[in-house]
Structures are given as C-alpha cells and as structure tokens.
Amino acid sequence: MASIPLLRFTPTTPRLLPHPLNLNFLQTRIQTRTRIHTKPASISASYNPIPATDRLISAVAYFLPFFNGLQYGRFLFAQFPALALPFQPILPLLSLYRSLPYASFVTFFALYLGIARNENLNKYPRFNALQAVVLDVLLVLPMLIQRIFSPGQSGIGLKFTVWMHNGLFVFVVGCFVYGLVSSILGKTPYLPFVTEAANRQM
C-alpha cells in the first residue's frame, strides 16, 4: 500500500502589512503630522484704547472748575507773585472766558446736559464731565458759606479765610493737573470727594 505523504504545516509568525495598508503606521503618521502642523493658540489680551475725541472732551471738561477755582489763589498770588508765572500762558483764554456773559453758567449746563447726561457718548467722557461738574459745585459751596457767615476782614476771621482759600486753590490746581494728564493718557482720574459723588450720579 503506497504511503501518502503527509503535508506538514509549520506555524508562521504573522507579518505586518506593508506601509500602504498598515493601519498602525498610518495612524502614527497622522498623529505626527497633526502635532507638527498644529500651532498652539495664541492668547492675546484685549485692549481697547480710549478714542482721541473722548480724551479731548474729558481734558477740556476740567477747565471749568479750574477757571472758576482760580479766584481762591488771590492770597497766594499776593504773597508769592512768582506763583502766577506758570498761569501766564492761559491768561488770554481766561480773560476771554470771563468776558463772555454767563459763560460759567452756560458751560456748566453744557457739560452736564450735553455730555454727562448724553447717553449717546461713551462712558469715559461722560464720567469725566460729571466729575468736573461735581468739582465745580463743590467749589461754589465755600464761597456761599463765606458770604453767609461773613468771617470779617481782620483777626481770626481773615486768617481762616486765607487758609481756606489757599487750601482750596491747591486742591483745585492738583485736581486740574491730575484730571488733565489722566484724560490725555486715557486713564480714569479718581478725585478725592468727587469720584464717589460722580459715581452715584452715573
């Protein structure tokens, strides 16, 4: 009886598919390309500069309390004439302002109704205009008190008047310079006793 040769099958190790059909290889390549071409998202801080017109309106608004508050410097100017030299360049503008009838009255309501209460404008000029209006109102109160109580032209009453005028003048000039420079730079000035009152009116 003839023997039938047996076919022997030897176990073979499974071979990886070539590159075009190798799924693992393709997945690795895709991930590598994704990491290469994907750029990290840049984080940019949002910055909204104040428009030039808003800064100009805000800076001009502080001239109202400044012009009306210069009267408190008469004792300092009389005692130290050199203090008047820095104010010489604005004397023509101040003379024009005082020569116009009801200039202070008209300017006050123009700032309050035309800017501070004008909701069509941005908040920045409205807030600064309101601060200027509040500061101007605060400067009127000492003069009214002086006229009501009449501290006198000599003695302790005169000394009190001089101290009050000198302190108010320094306060007005400081607020004017601070408000003017801050408005030009687009910063929000925070004036003592004024900002809180202005915030309650916004």
Side-chain angles (χ1 to χ4, degrees):
M1 182 176 180
S3 62
I4 301 173
L6 299 176
L7 297 177
R8 299 181 61 185
F9 295 92
T10 58
T12 59
T13 303
R15 296 170 55 187
L16 293 177
L17 296 174
H19 286 179
L21 298 178
N22 193 338
L23 298 181
N24 294 331
F25 176 80
L26 292 177
Q27 185 177 5
T28 304
R29 290 291 300 273
I30 292 174
Q31 292 176 353
T32 304
R33 289 178 179 270
T34 303
R35 286 195 297 266
I36 293 176
H37 293 287
T38 302
K39 296 180 179 180
S42 60
I43 302 176
S44 58
S46 59
Y47 175 66
N48 297 322
I50 304 298
T53 54
D54 291 350
R55 285 181 285 171
L56 178 62
I57 294 174
S58 301
V60 172
Y62 288 102
F63 277 92
L64 172 66
F66 175 66
F67 283 166
N68 294 335
L70 285 178
Q71 59 180 332
Y72 293 110
R74 57 191 181 97
F75 293 108
L76 282 176
F77 292 150
Q79 187 175 0
F80 306 100
L83 291 178
L85 295 178
F87 301 96
Q88 293 293 331
I90 65 172
L91 285 181
L93 184 60
L94 181 62
S95 300
L96 177 63
Y97 174 78
R98 291 183 174 177
S99 64
L100 298 175
Y102 307 106
S104 178
F105 183 79
V106 173
T107 306
F108 177 87
F109 281 98
L111 280 179
Y112 183 73
L113 298 177
I115 299 178
R117 292 302 181 187
N118 189 354
E119 296 184 356
N120 294 325
L121 298 176
N122 295 327
K123 185 178 179 180
Y124 186 79
R126 292 175 56 209
F127 176 76
N128 284 283
L130 191 56
Q131 279 204 136
V133 168
V134 172
L135 180 60
D136 190 63
V137 171
L138 293 178
L139 294 177
V140 175
L141 296 179
M143 191 63 65
L144 293 177
I145 296 174
Q146 181 181 349
R147 291 180 179 179
I148 293 174
F149 293 97
S150 183
Q153 301 297 324
S154 61
I156 189 65
L158 178 60
K159 290 184 178 180
F160 176 77
T161 302
V162 172
W163 293 338
M164 181 184 68
H165 280 230
N166 293 345
L168 287 173
F169 177 76
V170 173
F171 176 72
V172 170
V173 174
C175 290
F176 169 72
V177 174
Y178 176 50
L180 181 67
V181 174
S182 298
S183 299
I184 293 175
L185 298 178
K187 306 295 183 180
T188 302
Y190 295 96
L191 306 178
F193 311 110
V194 178
T195 300
E196 295 180 0
N199 283 327
R200 287 194 293 267
Q201 296 294 325
M202 288 297 292

